[in-house]
Amino acid sequence: MTTTQVYHVYIRATADEIWAAITRPELTARYFHRVTIEITPETRSHVGPRGERWDPDAVLEFDPPRRLVHEWRSQYDPEMSAEPVSRVTWEIEPQDGGTCLVTLTHDRLEGSPKTAEGVSGAGWMFVLSSMKSLLETGEALPPTG
């Protein structure tokens, strides 16, 4: 499994709208597997879909509405949670025509093969596609799991 995963999606929304979707709990709960995520300049706090509180992750860079870098632990799965912390980088680049290019890079996965497999392909693509759908239509994709 690759230790650096890169995903791109164009979204018809402003950089501020995308930033809000990434950082505001009332929005993340709608598209991110029903997980409530709140991001501040210091931490990424999250509550699972059944109300379980997970340990916060450190925010490494906080540059609204352009760039966010935070640690990642897949705390929804005990085996993945035991693996070393990896890193997620969100980059938002305004484009012509009222769209933005969102690039998500998940790296530092060398010691976390279960996490790498779990988030690869459909894992991150579902989250990004659901966020895109929410921002463009007002409705996220139907939740999984």
Side-chain angles (χ1 to χ4, degrees), residues 6-19 22 63-68 89-105 131:
V6 181
Y7 303 92
H8 303 283
V9 63
Y10 286 92
I11 301 176
R12 185 175 302 280
T14 68
D16 287 327
E17 291 168 330
I18 295 166
W19 184 266
I22 295 167
D63 184 14
R66 299 178 315 167
R67 184 174 165 88
L68 173 67
T89 301
W90 301 80
E91 296 173 294
I92 304 166
E93 300 174 53
Q95 308 289 300
D96 292 334
T99 65
C100 287
L101 172 62
V102 177
T103 301
L104 184 140
T105 304
M131 181 176 70

Side-chain angles (χ1 to χ4, degrees), residues 43-101:
T43 61
R44 177 179 176 270
S45 302
H46 30 83
V47 177
R50 290 172 294 288
E52 61 275 35
R53 292 206 166 269
W54 294 326
D55 293 336
D57 296 317
V59 170
L60 308 172
E61 291 182 47
F62 189 84
D63 184 14
R66 299 178 315 167
R67 184 174 165 88
L68 173 67
V69 182
H70 59 81
E71 292 179 337
W72 177 273
R73 284 173 292 160
S74 298
Q75 296 181 65
Y76 55 88
D77 178 278
E79 286 185 31
M80 287 189 234
S81 183
E83 292 183 329
V85 171
S86 55
R87 178 177 66 182
V88 172
T89 301
W90 301 80
E91 296 173 294
I92 304 166
E93 300 174 53
Q95 308 289 300
D96 292 334
T99 65
C100 287
L101 172 62

Side-chain angles (χ1 to χ4, degrees), residues 116-128:
E117 183 179 349
V119 300
S120 69
W124 274 119
M125 283 312 304
F126 175 84
V127 169
L128 292 170

